[in-house]
Amino acid sequence: PIREIIKEYSKNKEVLDLFSYDGAFSVYALSGRAKNITAVELNGENMSLIKRNLILNKEKLLIDKVSVYQENPIEFINLAKETSTFYDLVIFNANSQIPGNVFDLKNDHLLLIKSIQENLLTPGGILFFITDSEGFVMDRYIRPGADNLTKKTIPDEFKPLRPHQVFVFYN
């Protein structure tokens, strides 16, 4: 369901997909007629998954609208800030497989969310913050500014199998 929501929100948007993993969110944004998509993935092994997903969908989608970077997404955020690059829709998929030396989800999520909102999102932009990290608790400071979509974004049959949380922030 979260992929369908991203597809719906992507029309005519500049999309940034951070921690892209297999590129599924990018593919859904593209199928939702996003203007352009920037997919950023840290893990080099996942780059082939992203490219494979795009190639599998090339008949239906304009994959030339997707730029794929193997980069530390946190460093990419800093680079985008420095170059005043803005996005209408940012997908931050902080899954549990992100190495701890990249950032500490529990301690750093507040600063990351604020940095994305203040420096990367256009006025009226949207940030989807997604995590499957066991025991993650959104910081109380930002929780009132976020819509919790968790119950709407995971089918009931998957709920006991893995943790999943989705928060959306509006600029």
Side-chain angles (χ1 to χ4, degrees):
I2 185 59
R3 293 175 181 172
E4 288 295 330
I5 291 170
I6 287 171
K7 177 181 176 179
E8 178 184 324
Y9 278 83
S10 296
K11 187 174 184 179
N12 297 320
K13 301 279 195 281
E14 294 284 341
V15 177
L16 175 60
D17 182 5
L18 294 166
F19 294 103
S20 295
Y21 181 61
D22 62 1
F25 290 131
S26 292
V27 168
Y28 272 79
L30 198 56
S31 68
R33 295 186 281 174
K35 192 183 304 180
N36 289 298
I37 299 162
T38 302
V40 182
E41 173 55 42
L42 174 68
N43 186 332
E45 293 174 19
N46 291 342
M47 295 299 287
S48 61
L49 292 173
I50 295 169
K51 291 174 183 172
R52 182 171 178 252
N53 260 340
L54 290 171
I55 289 168
L56 287 172
N57 289 282
K58 73 179 179 180
E59 300 300 321
K60 297 178 262 178
L61 306 172
L62 300 172
I63 63 172
D64 61 327
K65 291 185 173 190
V66 182
S67 300
V68 181
Y69 299 95
Q70 181 181 347
E71 177 78 49
N72 178 330
I74 306 307
E75 292 173 11
F76 189 90
I77 290 169
N78 292 330
L79 179 63
K81 284 187 333 191
E82 290 173 15
T83 59
S84 299
T85 305
F86 296 97
Y87 300 91
D88 304 305
L89 176 64
V90 175
I91 304 156
F92 191 96
N93 187 16
N95 71 46
S96 59
Q97 296 177 5
I98 297 170
N101 62 341
V102 174
F103 76 100
D104 180 328
L105 182 63
K106 178 183 177 192
N107 294 316
D108 298 339
H109 73 276
L110 172 64
L111 292 175
L112 286 168
I113 290 168
K114 288 175 80 175
S115 180
I116 290 169
Q117 286 182 296
E118 294 171 2
N119 300 295
L120 271 63
L121 278 180
T122 59
I126 299 169
L127 165 63
F128 284 96
F129 184 88
I130 305 162
T131 186
D132 68 355
S133 184
E134 188 81 44
F136 174 78
V137 177
M138 180 65 71
D139 190 284
R140 289 186 331 195
Y141 176 77
I142 58 176
R143 197 174 329 145
D147 286 342
N148 188 339
L149 300 182
T150 302
K151 291 181 181 177
K152 297 177 184 177
T153 59
I154 191 164
D156 288 334
E157 61 269 19
F158 291 124
K159 287 180 183 174
L161 300 177
R162 65 182 173 98
H164 168 86
Q165 295 183 66
V166 176
F167 300 90
V168 63
F169 298 85
Y170 306 94
N171 237 18

